[in-house]
């Protein structure tokens, strides 16, 4: 039995009938698709490397402690690994529509919180893997680590793991909790009763080793503690303007249980060209592309995009340390940035975003947020649960959207000898936020996944189209030769005016 961290459990507490809290991706592979049984055997062989995939959530009676992870005695790989196909002609639009329906469905809390769908019959002989995993299990960086484990052709490490043993090979017995286990197969620990979960949690709270250790560290390093507190105070003061509720906008409002999902892509080399010629970081350029997407979306809705108009976005920031790589939990903080959608000049947008992000880094908002989040471990779990739910019920949050950028492997990934071509991320909309954007970098590409509420954001394709137009406009302005700049600026400017 293992207790969740406050951050991990918060993703369970905010989940409700209209807000499923899983993250995921659609990864497209070169064909032909492998035999389904081969893929099943590969996944079975990896389960020993990711114990959480065979564990389920149990809530502590009376909410006296955070939820706990326990082995699922009825685990069946065949429930979590699914097989489907899109109808002819197998277009990307059909794949996106199918994925949106699957992503709209909440994961069953009585089972391990993940699914993996094999999708066949895509145009060009391609196929895809659609993955869903609850946010209480992983953040974006951990999900990328997880993908590199589950999708890799290397299964030797699984056999060396004591939990995996010989059960993950081609025999297919893998992680199934069915009869006839061999000596090397995984055997779940006995599931505790509700009374046992309660007693063990109370005993843990009576001796909070981790909290006492944190206090000892603070007492043992008073200078560092005071310095951290000073940084928190300075960062909180710098972030206070971004904590005010945003005004009314079509980007926020009530959401329902169904989702739309769209995507876009860009080349990392193009982004780096813009960065080299016009300044900023890769992340600054990416946020500038997204700014153009929101500008075109709002313009297509007939909204006034005044010069001073800003779309406020939350930007999750990984605070995972080097030694925590491969630990599948949530180690994220957040900062808040304004996307200057009112600026028509792409270069002014980039420079404005660069200046704001530099100021955010200087204020150390992310570090302060991480420290404050870790302090939530001292609060009663019931209050944390209630607080998480109140945040999502608030009709006016301090942001219009959220934007997350997760780096992935920059070399090709192979699954059963098939190369992964693209991978588009999915993140959930929460509370009154109707649109969120995720970016995943892989093998020289940037892949944008945009999630929208089905009724509140039926036009998110305008946003993803705007991302592509924004890339064209910046590239035209960053062209090294004046002649090339003039020849490319005209079509880009024409598209930019549409936003």
């Amino acid at each position: 039995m293992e207790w969740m961290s406050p951050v991990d459990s918060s993703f369970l507490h905010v989940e409700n009938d209209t807000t499923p809290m899983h993250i995921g991706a659609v990864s497209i592979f070169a064909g032909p698709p492998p035999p389904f049984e081969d893929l099943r055997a590969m996944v079975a062989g990896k389960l020993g490397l990711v114990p959480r995939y065979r564990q389920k959530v149990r809530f502590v009676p009376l909410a006296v402690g955070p939820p706990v992870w326990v082995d699922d005695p009825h685990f069946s790989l065949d429930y979590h690994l699914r097989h489907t196909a899109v109808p002819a002609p197998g277009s990307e639009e059909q794949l996106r529509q199918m994925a949106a329906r699957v992503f709209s469905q909440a994961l069953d809390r009585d089972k391990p919180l993940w699914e993996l769908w094999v999708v066949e019959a895509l145009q060009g002989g391609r196929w895809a893997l659609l993955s869903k995993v609850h946010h209480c299990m992983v953040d974006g960086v951990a999900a990328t680590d997880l993908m590199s484990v589950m999708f890799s052709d290397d299964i030797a490490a699984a056999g060396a793991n004591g939990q995996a043993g010989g059960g993950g090979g081609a025999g297919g017995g893998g992680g199934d909790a069915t009869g006839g286990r061999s000596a090397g197969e995984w055997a779940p620990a006995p599931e505790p009763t509700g009374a046992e979960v309660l007693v063990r949690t109370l005993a843990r709270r009576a001796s909070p080793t981790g909290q006492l250790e944190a206090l000892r560290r603070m007492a043992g390093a008073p200078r560092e503690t005071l310095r951290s507190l000073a940084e928190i105070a300075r960062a909180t003061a710098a972030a206070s303007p971004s904590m005010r509720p945003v005004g009314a906008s079509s980007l926020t409002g009530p959401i329902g249980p169904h989702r739309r999902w769209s995507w876009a892509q860009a080349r990392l080399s193009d982004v780096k060209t813009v960065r080299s010629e016009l300044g900023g970081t890769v992340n600054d350029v990416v946020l500038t592309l997204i700014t153009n997407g929101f500008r075109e979306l709002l313009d297509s809705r007939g909204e006034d995009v005044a010069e001073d108009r800003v779309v406020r976005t939350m930007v999750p920031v990984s605070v995972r340390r080097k030694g925590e790589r491969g630990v599948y939990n949530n180690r994220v903080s957040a900062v808040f940035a304004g996307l200057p959608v009112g600026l028509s000049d792409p270069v002014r947008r980039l420079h404005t975003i660069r200046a704001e992000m530099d100021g955010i880094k200087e204020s150390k908002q992310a570090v302060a947020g991480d420290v404050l989040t870790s302090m939530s471990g001292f609060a009663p779990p019931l209050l944390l649960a209630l607080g998480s739910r109140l945040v999502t019920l608030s009709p006016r949050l301090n942001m219009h959207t959220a934007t997350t950028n997760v780096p992935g492997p920059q070399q090709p990934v192979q699954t059963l000898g098939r190369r992964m071509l693209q991978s588009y991320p999915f993140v959930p909309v929460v509370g009154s936020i109707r649109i969120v954007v995720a970016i995943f970098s892989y093998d020289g590409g940037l892949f944008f996944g945009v999630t929208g509420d089905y009724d509140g954001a039926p036009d998110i394709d305008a946003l993803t189209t705007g991302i592509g137009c924004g890339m064209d406009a910046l590239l035209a302005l960053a062209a090294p030769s004046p002649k090339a700049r003039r020849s490319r600026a005209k079509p880009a400017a024409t598209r930019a005016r549409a936003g």
Side-chain angles (χ1 to χ4, degrees), residues 356-368:
E356 178 159 14
M357 296 306 293
D358 286 347
I360 288 172
K361 293 171 189 173
E362 179 68 24
S363 70
K364 299 186 178 179
Q365 286 184 37
V367 175

Side-chain angles (χ1 to χ4, degrees), residues 33 36 39 81-85 116-120 127-130:
F36 183 73
L39 190 108
L81 186 60
R82 306 180 181 192
H83 196 188
T84 189
L116 185 63
W117 294 66
V118 181
V119 186
E120 295 192 12
W127 60 286
L129 286 174
L130 184 156

Side-chain angles (χ1 to χ4, degrees), residues 40-42 44-45 155 165-174:
R40 185 192 185 282
M42 184 199 74
I155 64 172

Side-chain angles (χ1 to χ4, degrees), residues 63-64 205 376-385:
V64 299
R205 286 185 62 82
S376 66
F378 290 90
L382 180 59
L383 292 181
L384 286 176

Side-chain angles (χ1 to χ4, degrees), residues 266-280:
R267 297 304 302 168
L268 188 57
S269 58
D270 290 341
V271 171
K272 290 181 177 179
T273 296
V274 171
R275 179 196 64 182
S276 299
E277 296 294 327
L278 302 179

